[in-house]
Amino acid sequence: MLLIKDYDVNQSYRTLKHGADVFHKALENVLKGEKRFHVEGADGLRYDLEYKENQSLAEASALYPDSPLFRDTVMYPPYFQYDENSDRLCMDVLKGIDEIWVEEANEYTVVLTGILLRKTSCRIFTRDERILWFYPVSDRLSVTDMMRPKNEGKRIHVVQEYYPSGFLADFGTQDAVTFFHHIFIFQWLTDLPFEQAKYVELLVKKSEGIGSILTTYSRAKQFFEDYGLKTVIRPGSSRYTDELLSGYFELELTPEDSDESNTVYLTNYYGVLFTKMLREGAFDFGMHSLKPSFVAEMKEYGDAVMGDKKMLGILLRGSDYITTGMSGVSRPVTVETAIPKIREWMEADGFDGIFLATEDQDILDQMREAFPGKIKVVAQERYRVLDFGDAVTISEVDRKRHPGEDYDRFITDATVNYFYALYLLSRCDSFMYSGQCGGIVLAKGLAEKDFRRMYCFAEDKEWQDGTEVS
């Protein structure tokens, strides 16, 4: 991104002419290694442009996650080349938005202001008078020192510093890089015109669990259907066998007729996953997403284990949610901090027991100690943080524990057990969970009726019959 800076008379830089194409001219020379430019215009207008790499701006912020998962990949591409006059703009992030509040004028907010003025009816408010170097004041563009309080769901506040909107699932506030990424993402993903495309192929990271894969696939499928594209998963890209994915779940792998002439390739999993379109997009997951034979097996097991008992379902993520430093709405919770709220619900609602879903052996041990005789779990392989060594994710640990041909058999068994756990969660009366993860979304999707009460520890939010109460 190019930042607008005061003209530095003590330095000599390439001089560009102020105009509608000034940012593109600067970026052409950024690709040649230049980082700062003088700009001169009419009536003595002079300023500098300074290039800052988008990913570096994000990672320099204390708000950016420490997890190596998000530092080993480019979450925010550089966008050296883009076309603001193209029809290939993704305007979905603006659905339901009436106002845009901008803190700072820079390359991205200037370009986006032009798009908003041309293609939407949004009103734009900014405290930075430099926006008037590019556009005149109008009934839809105002310069003001006042920034209104949040108008939830109706406006986007574009802040000056990096803001982890994707990680916090708070898209009412976005930094300029994130907002620009939302609008121009199609131009980043492919040069292929959508009218020529047939498929969108999702390349899955080996570190991703089945919950993340199914959630992302479902949301991508719903989103790209509006553009006439079919979402598929690239065979062999995940840590799960293709036979497992197609044998237990209603999803599609890339067909034989897919090639570069008809396929949009989503190769940057996280760069797409943490956009509003896929983080908060429409989600259609339920029993219909599983093969009927798999559903029948789980229902038979659930009847035998739970019957008509009144159970409190609890999902507590630990292990690699700790080692990867998950934060925000995905932050893991310690059993010690969770126990008081769990006891409160157990006593108030008279539950017969707790069905606990966790992959963390330490969490299971602590919960059994705190609630003796009340805990039911599905038998599965579990992990202790101390067992990880130099590994960061569960997938790394699994490959060390189950080398060679044994790995695929283990993953199949582990995945089936995981869905048994999700299904039993879905049958519980009420539901508590540490923070947002793929399993939460799937458990809710499998539920045949709404949970009477729900509570998220990471967000400290409670819902009763679907209505937020805290």
Side-chain angles (χ1 to χ4, degrees):
M1 176 172 65
L2 293 162
L3 302 177
I4 300 174
K5 298 289 187 176
D6 291 337
Y7 193 97
D8 189 346
V9 297
N10 297 312
Q11 299 293 334
S12 297
Y13 301 113
R14 180 188 297 271
T15 300
L16 304 173
K17 183 179 180 181
H18 176 73
D21 64 346
V22 66
F23 299 121
H24 293 289
K25 292 293 185 183
L27 290 173
E28 288 175 6
N29 291 289
V30 169
L31 288 171
K32 299 175 183 178
E34 298 178 45
K35 300 294 183 182
R36 187 151 177 155
F37 310 90
H38 289 322
V39 181
E40 297 180 355
D43 300 323
L45 176 64
R46 297 199 305 176
Y47 60 91
D48 282 359
L49 291 176
E50 183 180 36
Y51 176 76
K52 294 291 184 179
E53 186 184 48
N54 291 341
Q55 185 67 24
S56 296
L57 280 172
E59 292 189 17
S61 171
L63 296 177
Y64 192 80
D66 290 331
S67 172
L69 292 178
F70 310 125
R71 292 178 181 268
D72 293 339
T73 188
V74 176
M75 299 285 291
Y76 305 98
Y79 286 107
F80 293 120
Q81 297 175 326
Y82 58 88
D83 182 1
E84 60 267 47
N85 296 309
S86 168
D87 291 332
R88 294 178 62 247
L89 301 172
C90 183
M91 308 298 283
D92 296 72
V93 71
L94 295 167
K95 288 181 178 178
I97 300 299
D98 295 331
E99 298 176 353
I100 308 293
W101 289 81
V102 178
E103 288 190 354
E104 179 188 59
N106 54 51
E107 175 198 359
Y108 287 175
T109 56
V110 169
V111 170
L112 291 171
T113 293
I115 292 171
L116 292 166
L117 291 173
R118 292 194 309 272
K119 293 183 172 292
T120 78
S121 59
C122 292
R123 295 190 65 193
I124 306 160
F125 301 87
T126 182
R127 61 178 57 162
D128 193 335
E129 294 184 350
R130 295 178 298 180
I131 199 72
L132 303 182
W133 297 348
F134 300 88
Y135 309 101
V137 171
S138 69
D139 58 347
R140 290 181 49 217
L141 175 61
S142 304
V143 176
T144 174
D145 289 332
M146 296 183 63
M147 299 297 281
R148 292 184 184 175
K150 283 189 175 182
N151 181 11
E152 198 66 37
K154 294 292 186 180
R155 57 61 123 175
I156 294 175
H157 185 182
V158 185
V159 295
Q160 183 173 349
E161 303 295 333
Y162 170 77
Y163 184 79
S165 55
F167 298 100
L168 297 176
D170 174 14
F171 294 99
T173 300
Q174 299 181 46
D175 59 82
V177 172
T178 301
F179 193 27
F180 189 91
H181 180 49
H182 273 108
I183 301 293
F184 282 89
I185 190 169
F186 291 161
Q187 295 185 29
W188 168 60
L189 289 175
T190 184
D191 293 329
L192 184 68
F194 275 12
E195 58 269 21
Q196 296 180 24
K198 185 176 180 180
Y199 305 109
V200 170
E201 182 187 76
L202 183 62
L203 183 72
V204 180
K205 290 185 72 68
K206 296 291 186 183
S207 58
E208 293 305 287
I210 191 66
S212 171
I213 294 171
L214 293 175
T215 302
T216 304
Y217 172 80
S218 177
R219 286 177 172 158
K221 179 181 178 182
Q222 296 293 307
F223 177 73
F224 286 106
E225 274 181 355
D226 290 343
Y227 294 89
L229 304 177
K230 177 182 290 187
T231 300
V232 295
I233 292 179
R234 180 175 179 177
S237 64
S238 80
R239 70 180 196 245
Y240 305 93
T241 66
D242 296 337
E243 291 74 20
L244 169 62
L245 294 179
S246 59
Y248 284 84
F249 308 104
E250 298 287 358
L251 52 74
E252 295 189 52
L253 302 178
T254 307
E256 292 185 359
D257 67 332
S258 168
D259 58 32
E260 293 183 355
S261 70
N262 61 14
T263 303
V264 176
Y265 297 102
L266 305 188
T267 58
N268 189 318
Y269 190 83
Y270 292 135
V272 176
L273 175 60
F274 286 95
T275 60
K276 181 178 181 181
M277 291 81 76
L278 297 193
R279 194 82 162 100
E280 291 188 341
F283 181 68
D284 180 27
F285 182 88
M287 291 297 189
H288 64 277
S289 305
L290 311 178
K291 296 295 186 184
S293 58
F294 189 26
V295 172
E297 292 173 6
M298 292 194 301
K299 286 188 174 181
E300 182 178 358
Y301 179 79
D303 291 340
V305 172
M306 297 181 66
D308 58 358
K309 293 179 181 177
K310 184 179 180 181
M311 301 291 288
L312 172 60
I314 299 178
L315 191 157
L316 297 179
R317 283 299 316 265
S319 62
D320 62 352
Y321 265 51
I322 298 172
T323 58
T324 57
M326 288 294 183
S327 58
V329 295
S330 297
R331 174 177 54 85
V333 63
T334 65
V335 173
E336 182 181 14
T337 58
I339 283 175
K341 193 71 174 180
I342 297 173
R343 288 197 192 282
E344 176 188 322
W345 281 32
M346 290 290 289
E347 294 171 4
D349 294 347
F351 292 106
D352 296 318
I354 294 171
F355 178 76
L356 175 66
T358 184
E359 83 299 342
D360 191 301
Q361 185 63 50
D362 291 323
I363 289 176
L364 175 56
D365 292 345
Q366 293 166 32
M367 286 290 288
R368 279 175 168 165
E369 181 179 352
F371 302 96
K374 294 289 187 181
I375 303 295
K376 286 187 178 294
V377 296
V378 168
Q380 66 183 86
E381 186 155 344
R382 292 187 167 86
Y383 312 83
R384 300 184 191 275
V385 172
L386 292 177
D387 295 338
F388 275 62
D390 59 355
V392 176
T393 65
I394 285 178
S395 62
E396 295 174 78
V397 177
D398 286 340
R399 288 193 178 277
K400 291 180 179 179
R401 287 184 177 182
H402 305 277
E405 294 180 2
D406 180 50
Y407 180 75
D408 287 344
R409 290 193 296 270
F410 163 74
I411 286 295
T412 297
D413 291 342
T415 303
V416 170
N417 288 339
Y418 174 67
F419 268 86
Y420 271 60
L422 293 178
Y423 174 67
L424 292 180
L425 280 177
S426 76
R427 289 180 57 146
C428 292
D429 175 81
S430 296
F431 185 26
M432 309 177 85
Y433 51 95
S434 51
Q436 296 294 336
C437 67
I440 304 301
V441 182
L442 298 181
K444 292 177 183 177
L446 292 175
E448 295 181 354
K449 59 182 179 61
D450 291 337
F451 294 106
R452 190 172 61 83
R453 298 174 74 185
M454 289 196 305
Y455 181 77
C456 176
F457 289 98
E459 299 178 81
D460 189 24
K461 288 184 178 180
E462 180 178 339
W463 297 264
Q464 292 185 13
D465 298 320
T467 301
E468 186 177 333
V469 297
S470 65

